[in-house]
Amino acid sequence: MTPHRSRQHPEVAVREAVAADLVEAAQIYQSAAMTLHEVLRLRNPWSSEDARAIDLREAIGALSDLSATPSGKVIVAETGNELTGVAAVRIRGRHAHIAFLFVLPAWQGKGVGGQLLARLREIIDAAGASVVTLVASRDPRAWQRYLRFGLHPGPPVMSMRARKPRFPDLVPGDGLESVPIERDRADVLEAVDRLDREIAGVSRLPEIARWLEHGAEGTLLRDRVTDRPVGFFIVSVHADHGRIGPVVSRTVTRFPDVLSRALQMAGRHERDVVWRVDLPSANHVAIGPLLDAGFSPHNLMPWFANGEIGRWDRYIFRDEDTL
Ligand SMILES: CC(C)(COP(=O)(O)OP(=O)(O)OC[C@H]1O[C@@H](n2cnc3c(N)ncnc32)[C@H](O)[C@@H]1OP(=O)(O)O)[C@@H](O)C(=O)NCCC(=O)NCCS
């Protein structure tokens, strides 16, 4: 790809990231995020070396996933031999979700972030996506960039955590039959994909296959009487945390039953981990069951978008970067 040279800063070039860039790109993220926390005097989640190492590993994982899947794209800003910024986007059909935008502290305020966003705009337009969304930090400079990008603030995304969860036992009589989601079950995957298109708003079968390949477990729920798919969920355990999501229900009324089933599956994991859930503000029916299971809010993250995707009053995200 030809480097995209800036008008303001001829020495800064924006190009697609290669595998060898990703560790440095993740370090840019961590350095920018840590400096922002100091400036805003926020609680510092990187207080120990261990916490920094885990966070960096997660960022490298997220960037590797974005650059390895066809729906993702990672770009970097380069100045001489140094990477000075990183940005990433995931595009599924008409939806583009910007997952990373970070500039090295020494290079901030010099237009690098603007250049990265201009390149993302070209990538998003070329893919034909029209709805752009993102979960923002608390940096007003980032908000300024997003407003100029044509995005508007919306209801925040809530991240909840449970250190000592109390997962429910099987609820008898919910009338649901569970079918494992497996990569060789084309009929099950097709039903999952149909639910995903309707509720999440986009298709993401290759990503679901990837999560399963990496050890996530999924269940499709069918109504025992009508045999119709009611919802599905995915649960996974990572190095230092467990994750519940996506959780998808065809109706708001059925969402608590689908979520209960997901919480039961999480309860079957033996490992003692902190559990995480990221959910859209529109989903009110998830909150009661999550509080009952011992979850509490960890963060409310600013949301920017230029439109709506899916029916998020009956949806829990995979995570804030993936939706
Ligand atoms: C947000 C970030 C990526 C922007 O990149 P950058 O290279 O610093 O940004 P630019 O220089 O291109 O533009 C900064 C804009 O903010 C404006 N700005 C600067 N200080 C500001 C402030 N205190 N309040 C509001 N706007 C401010 C500038 O005027 C400029 O806008 P303009 O071009 O419309 O005049 C970068 O600052 C960063 O990494 N911040 C910390 C990490 C972070 O929060 N990332 C965003 C994750 S969602």
Side-chain angles (χ1 to χ4, degrees):
M1 199 169 98
T2 347
H4 180 82
R5 295 222 165 253
S6 135
R7 259 171 256 122
Q8 309 115 295
H9 285 275
E11 71 271 35
V12 178
V14 174
R15 62 166 171 83
E16 198 168 317
V18 295
D21 294 323
L22 298 182
V23 171
E24 203 177 333
Q27 284 163 343
I28 292 175
Y29 142 75
Q30 195 175 62
S31 153
M34 282 169 59
T35 306
L36 177 65
H37 271 66
E38 279 161 28
V39 171
L40 299 181
R41 296 177 189 279
L42 295 173
R43 186 161 47 97
N44 177 0
W46 300 276
S47 47
S48 74
E49 228 167 82
D50 275 0
R52 280 195 294 280
I54 290 172
D55 176 63
L56 193 64
R57 203 165 59 223
E58 277 181 16
I60 296 168
L63 286 168
S64 309
D65 191 62
L66 277 156
S67 67
T69 35
S71 61
K73 182 80 80 191
V74 180
I75 56 171
V76 288
E78 193 170 39
T79 314
N81 286 332
E82 189 191 21
L83 296 192
T84 47
V86 56
V89 62
R90 191 178 295 280
I91 302 175
R92 302 173 179 127
R94 66 191 183 95
H95 180 201
H97 184 64
I98 297 178
F100 272 81
L101 178 69
F102 293 94
V103 172
L104 267 189
W107 280 85
Q108 289 172 9
K110 298 180 179 10
V112 177
Q115 278 175 254
L116 284 165
L117 272 176
R119 183 74 195 108
L120 284 187
R121 162 82 74 197
E122 289 171 5
I123 292 168
I124 292 167
D125 288 350
S130 53
V131 179
V132 181
T133 61
L134 61 85
V135 177
S137 72
R138 292 190 165 75
D139 190 344
R141 291 170 303 181
W143 303 343
Q144 170 83 349
R145 289 264 68 98
Y146 303 147
L147 295 175
R148 285 207 188 280
F149 201 77
L151 308 183
H152 311 291
V157 165
M158 182 158 64
S159 176
M160 297 185 84
R161 295 202 181 167
R163 277 171 204 286
K164 300 223 177 297
R166 300 179 295 270
F167 290 126
D169 297 328
L170 189 69
V171 193
D174 65 3
L176 297 176
E177 177 203 17
S178 51
V179 187
I181 305 173
E182 281 157 1
R183 280 182 297 151
D184 55 359
R185 283 288 303 270
D187 57 329
V188 177
L189 289 175
E190 199 189 309
V192 164
D193 191 43
R194 226 175 296 129
L195 283 165
D196 229 15
R197 283 172 198 269
E198 188 181 327
I199 309 304
V202 288
S203 175
R204 50 180 170 175
L205 262 189
E207 287 164 64
I208 291 176
R210 218 172 132 84
W211 302 333
L212 298 173
E213 195 184 324
H214 287 101
E217 287 179 275
T219 299
L220 171 70
L221 295 168
R222 287 210 193 102
D223 186 305
R224 277 188 199 281
V225 176
T226 63
D227 212 31
R228 279 197 76 192
V230 166
F232 80 90
F233 59 83
I234 288 178
V235 168
S236 47
V237 176
H238 305 265
D240 76 322
H241 71 278
R243 191 166 272 291
I244 297 167
V247 181
V248 172
S249 168
R250 175 159 278 145
T251 63
V252 172
T253 339
R254 268 300 196 182
F255 188 86
D257 295 331
V258 179
L259 178 54
S260 277
R261 292 281 189 144
L263 292 166
Q264 285 152 20
M265 181 181 259
R268 289 209 291 274
H269 279 276
E270 310 260 294
R271 288 211 8 234
D272 195 14
V273 285
V274 176
W275 284 87
R276 294 189 197 172
V277 167
D278 292 348
L279 69 153
S281 289
N283 189 338
H284 301 166
V285 286
I287 292 173
L290 288 170
L291 291 175
D292 289 346
F295 281 82
S296 51
H298 173 73
N299 203 357
L300 268 182
M301 297 169 281
W303 172 259
F304 283 79
N306 65 352
E308 286 187 15
I309 286 278
R311 312 184 70 180
W312 288 2
D313 54 351
R314 57 204 76 177
Y315 181 49
I316 282 177
F317 298 132
R318 170 72 180 157
D319 62 47
E320 53 148 315
D321 285 339
T322 312
L323 301 190

